[in-house]
């Protein structure tokens, strides 16, 4: 049965001499794998639409197993990402995270929109660190993780100076700090942004400017939380960290 979908290429795997297995995250079907025959041949009409991060419309012959990709057209060119090694590193992490956290064939139009907007904003030159942090915060629920960010995770009070407790899984107020000697100190800006990233709708982003110290705090908290609870070890994250060190040298 031939069916059309809108999707983003989140992974590609070479298969044999000339074929590729392409993982698409689609608006209609969620995550699906399709076989793109001949896509590795330079003159193939499937070669440009099966590149990583491509957003397009795809015509797929669907069966019980892998679908077969018949044709496609590019909907949004995310060219800036492909031309910038740093952006490529960020986008690779975003798509690998998506791939690892989503189940096959479970449609989620909200999540599809989030992925599309994140890559699109990145392509348009919005701050990739902030986009990555927002995406990471939004992915927590997909993994079944629900950090406590609207009150103290120990006493439940909503006022006070908050730190972050990995052990308690969320904010901890100044009164409860003795409960977790390993808490992370937070600036009020970081408290506000962690909440914002977790709860708000990405389409209302606008231009957020975040100070370097605040970015460092965000990164530290989100990374520590992921390491403790997500069980993920992503190659793209390691690559991103080494790119970061490389960028600091420049």
């Amino acid at each position: 049965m031939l069916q059309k979908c809108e999707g983003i290429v989140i992974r590609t795997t070479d298969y044999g001499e000339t074929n590729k297995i392409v993982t698409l995250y689609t608006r209609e079907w969620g995550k699906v794998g399709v076989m793109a025959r001949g896509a590795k041949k330079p003159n193939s009409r499937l070669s440009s639409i099966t590149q990583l991060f491509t957003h397009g419309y795809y015509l797929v012959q669907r069966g019980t197993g892998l679908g077969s990709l018949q044709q496609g057209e590019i909907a949004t060119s995310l060219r800036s990402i492909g031309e910038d090694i740093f952006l490529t590193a960020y986008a690779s992490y975003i798509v690998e995270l998506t791939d690892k956290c989503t189940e096959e064939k479970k449609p989620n139009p909200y999540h599809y929109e989030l992925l599309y907007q994140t890559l699109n904003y990145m392509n348009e030159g919005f701050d990739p660190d902030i986009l990555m942090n927002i995406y990471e915060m939004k992915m927590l629920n997909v993994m079944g993780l629900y950090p406590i960010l609207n009150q103290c995770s120990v006493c439940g009070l909503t006022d006070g100076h908050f730190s972050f407790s990995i052990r308690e899984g969320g904010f901890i107020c100044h009164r409860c700090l003795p409960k977790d000697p390993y808490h992370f100190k937070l600036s009020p800006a970081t408290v506000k942004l962690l909440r914002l990233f977790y709860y708000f709708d990405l389409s209302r982003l606008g231009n957020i400017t975040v100070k370097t110290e605040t970015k460092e705090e965000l990164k530290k908290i989100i990374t520590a939380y992921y390491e403790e609870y997500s069980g993920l070890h992503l190659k793209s994250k390691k690559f991103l960290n080494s790119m970061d060190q490389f960028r600091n040298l420049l």
Side-chain angles (χ1 to χ4, degrees):
M1 196 160 103
L2 263 184
Q3 291 180 312
K4 192 175 179 183
C5 69
E6 178 190 339
I8 293 164
V9 178
I10 61 170
R11 177 161 50 112
T12 66
T13 313
D14 290 348
Y15 187 78
E17 288 292 295
T18 57
N19 311 325
K20 273 203 248 182
I21 294 174
V22 179
T23 306
L24 295 170
Y25 195 77
T26 70
R27 188 188 288 284
E28 295 82 355
W29 315 319
K31 183 171 74 175
V32 291
V34 294
M35 173 66 77
R37 297 194 186 284
K40 282 169 67 184
K41 293 179 182 159
N43 57 355
S44 161
R45 59 195 170 81
L46 297 182
S47 102
S48 66
I49 55 157
T50 53
Q51 304 293 328
L52 205 53
F53 321 130
T54 303
H55 167 235
Y57 296 103
Y58 296 89
L59 205 57
V60 178
Q61 181 81 42
R62 294 189 82 193
T64 45
L66 265 187
S68 168
L69 181 61
Q70 302 299 313
Q71 62 186 83
E73 53 174 318
I74 292 176
T76 314
S77 166
L78 300 171
R79 190 175 291 137
S80 310
I81 292 178
E83 289 170 354
D84 180 315
I85 188 162
F86 293 107
L87 286 184
T88 299
Y90 283 100
S92 300
Y93 173 57
I94 298 287
V95 297
E96 191 183 3
L97 188 55
T98 308
D99 188 25
K100 290 284 189 285
C101 295
T102 52
E103 291 173 53
E104 296 277 327
K105 299 177 183 164
K106 271 204 151 171
N108 184 337
Y110 165 77
H111 191 170
Y112 175 80
E113 209 40 54
L114 177 69
L115 175 63
Y116 169 69
Q117 284 172 342
T118 303
L119 294 174
N120 207 26
Y121 278 139
M122 210 171 264
N123 190 60
E124 285 173 8
F126 282 77
D127 187 325
D129 287 302
I130 295 307
L131 288 168
M132 173 180 76
N133 289 159
I134 293 173
Y135 199 80
E136 288 173 314
M137 292 302 287
K138 297 253 180 256
M139 286 304 283
L140 293 173
N141 292 176
V142 178
M143 294 187 271
L145 298 172
Y146 299 91
I148 298 162
L149 303 174
N150 53 353
Q151 60 186 45
C152 172
S153 52
V154 177
C155 71
L157 290 174
T158 53
D159 66 311
H161 304 295
F162 290 102
S163 294
F164 196 93
S165 166
I166 297 297
R167 196 168 72 191
E168 299 293 340
F171 288 156
I172 182 170
C173 73
H174 61 283
R175 293 166 289 256
C176 297
L177 289 182
K179 290 267 194 296
D180 181 5
Y182 303 107
H183 62 266
F184 288 92
K185 294 265 179 284
L186 297 179
S187 66
T190 304
V191 170
K192 197 173 125 193
L193 287 172
L194 281 170
R195 266 189 197 142
L196 190 68
F197 293 175
Y198 184 66
Y199 291 111
F200 97 128
D201 183 0
L202 185 63
S203 59
R204 308 212 313 273
L205 183 63
N207 237 331
I208 299 185
T209 9
V210 178
K211 294 203 305 241
T212 314
E213 311 81 274
T214 311
K215 273 191 187 179
E216 285 303 317
E217 268 183 28
L218 285 165
K219 186 177 165 182
K220 196 160 74 179
I221 300 298
I222 295 172
T223 302
Y225 189 87
Y226 261 75
E227 280 175 359
E228 183 69 28
Y229 294 112
S230 77
L232 295 172
H233 302 284
L234 305 184
K235 283 198 207 84
S236 55
K237 183 71 174 174
K238 287 200 187 89
F239 178 61
L240 191 57
N241 292 339
S242 57
M243 289 301 288
D244 255 3
Q245 286 156 356
F246 174 60
R247 186 167 52 179
N248 295 337
L249 294 174
L250 289 179

